[in-house]
Amino acid sequence: DEAIHTGQWCVHYRADLEARYVRRLTITTELKRALASEQSELSMVYQPKVDLSTMKVCSMEALIRWNNAVLGFVPPDEFITIAEQAGLIEQVTSWVMRRTIEDLSYFRVKGYRFTVAMNLSTQDIQNKPLLNKLVNLLTEFALYPSSLELEITESDLVADASLAIENLNALTSRGFHFAIDDFGTGYSSLAYLKNLPVNTIKIDKSFILSLATDENDQQIVHTVLGLADAFNLKVVAEGVEDEVSMNILKDWGCDIAQGYFISRPLPRADLEAWLENSPFGE
Ligand code: C2E
Ligand code: MG
Ligand code: MG
Ligand code: MG
């Protein structure tokens, strides 16, 4: 009886492994195709960030979207990880860079002043030719590096500290600004971040989503805000889904808020309408 049980478990386990393997393989193949194709399945959306001292938009986070003919919508968390492992991240980031800077330039021409935040993976931070490409793109569109923010995930940074510091310093001296994404998930401390050329942290949304009701989250966020103030770091809260949370963050001196309460990530055309109609619009 036990043997049959174990046997069944093995079969299920194998089936599950196979399903995951097939999905991973399909994502890799389809992503290669999407990157090579003319009418790309890839697109960018932008999510507003609001300065809590003025209650106006100050920045947009650029987020990639992929709608594939075979797989449908594939979440970026899933395909970015696979792209990193399959050696495709450079191509993905290259595509994101060009599209994001084109869009930033479009909004600058229209007179908007907000900055744009782009997500980079650790591999990108170590890829000098890719970073040179970024510098050249900015030159091509006559934009300053300071009009961009680069977000890097806390856990990536902790895993690869020494190389990262060198490259971060080099980019900072060229005028780039960095933010530590998903802060609170990577087991680093603010004291450690003090040694990096970073002036902004983004508190991970897992601490913010239930801020209005969860006393543990309130205590954590309150403590992080106090320490960040002592270390002179700017704080962004991501995952603000309700007005109560937004007001708590404002009262406690958080600098910037981002979340569905303000807006979901939007394609460029929808973002223009949002900028004109939202009370948070520029
Ligand atoms: P992230 O950089 O931490 O981005 C924030 C994520 O939180 C986004 O998910 C956003 O849609 C989501 N979010 C924002 N506000 C709320 C809210 O109020 N409630 C909830 N439940 N979620 C909220 P998204 O777009 O699915 O991206 C997931 C992750 O994928 C990103 O996390 C980032 O790590 C990665 N990613 C997305 N675009 C890119 C990209 O262009 N390049 C790279 N390297 N990574 C990217
Ligand atoms: Mg981010
Ligand atoms: Mg995040
Ligand atoms: Mg994330």
Side-chain angles (χ1 to χ4, degrees):
D1 194 50
E2 198 175 285
I4 292 166
H5 228 83
T6 312
Q8 275 177 342
W9 183 81
C10 280
V11 170
H12 283 300
Y13 184 65
R14 240 188 83 187
D16 179 51
L17 271 183
E18 269 175 27
R20 281 168 53 190
Y21 176 77
V22 169
R23 181 163 171 88
R24 173 177 291 264
L25 201 66
T26 314
I27 287 179
T28 307
T29 315
E30 288 298 316
L31 186 58
K32 272 185 197 157
R33 197 203 307 281
L35 285 164
S37 88
E38 280 295 319
Q39 2 87 281
S40 184
E41 296 180 348
L42 301 168
S43 63
M44 294 306 294
V45 289
Y46 300 91
Q47 188 179 32
K49 294 191 250 177
V50 163
D51 182 332
L52 290 172
S53 65
T54 61
M55 294 306 252
K56 292 289 174 192
V57 64
C58 56
S59 176
M60 301 285 171
E61 179 169 12
L63 297 158
I64 193 168
R65 292 292 177 262
W66 181 26
N67 268 298
N68 177 251
V70 179
L71 297 157
F73 175 78
V74 188
D77 268 334
E78 185 181 16
F79 77 79
I80 291 287
T81 310
I82 293 173
E84 283 168 347
Q85 292 159 353
L88 294 171
I89 194 66
E90 174 170 0
Q91 269 178 278
V92 173
T93 307
S94 260
W95 186 89
V96 168
M97 281 174 174
R98 175 159 282 277
R99 179 56 62 86
T100 300
I101 286 170
E102 278 172 7
D103 288 341
L104 174 58
S105 166
Y106 172 88
F107 281 110
R108 282 297 150 91
V109 169
K110 295 234 155 187
Y112 291 108
R113 299 164 54 90
F114 54 76
T115 58
V116 168
M118 217 169 61
N119 293 282
L120 292 183
S121 82
T122 359
Q123 286 178 39
D124 298 330
I125 296 290
Q126 295 164 22
N127 187 337
K128 292 236 165 78
L130 183 68
L131 297 170
N132 286 332
K133 214 167 175 173
L134 179 60
V135 172
N136 293 337
L137 268 172
L138 288 166
T139 311
E140 184 185 332
F141 286 91
L143 293 164
Y144 291 111
S146 57
S147 57
L148 267 191
E149 295 155 89
L150 303 174
E151 299 190 359
I152 35 179
T153 301
E154 189 196 15
S155 49
D156 289 348
L157 197 68
V158 175
D160 242 317
S162 56
L163 235 176
I165 293 178
E166 195 184 304
N167 291 317
L168 292 188
N169 280 327
L171 285 164
T172 303
S173 64
R174 299 178 92 150
F176 287 97
H177 292 287
F178 287 93
I180 301 300
D181 212 343
D182 303 341
F183 184 80
T185 61
Y187 306 101
S188 71
S189 66
L190 289 173
Y192 163 79
L193 293 184
K194 194 61 195 162
N195 300 318
L196 299 176
V198 161
N199 54 8
T200 305
I201 57 169
K202 293 188 79 173
I203 305 180
D204 190 65
K205 58 178 176 289
S206 59
F207 304 105
I208 305 294
L209 290 172
S210 310
L211 189 66
T213 51
D214 188 312
E215 283 178 21
N216 285 323
D217 288 343
Q218 289 173 6
Q219 230 159 44
I220 292 165
V221 169
H222 191 260
T223 305
V224 170
L225 286 168
L227 282 168
D229 190 43
F231 283 109
N232 253 317
L233 292 162
K234 206 158 84 174
V235 183
V236 183
E238 66 174 23
V240 180
E241 291 193 350
D242 58 83
E243 191 168 17
V244 174
S245 302
M246 180 128 155
N247 287 333
I248 291 174
L249 290 161
K250 189 177 156 82
D251 284 350
W252 290 351
C254 181
D255 300 285
I256 293 164
Q258 174 184 4
Y260 294 170
F261 177 68
I262 297 159
S263 172
R264 290 191 174 249
L266 301 169
R268 191 176 86 179
D270 297 355
L271 184 62
E272 268 190 285
W274 183 89
L275 282 161
E276 280 165 26
N277 299 317
S278 166
F280 302 118
E282 194 177 304

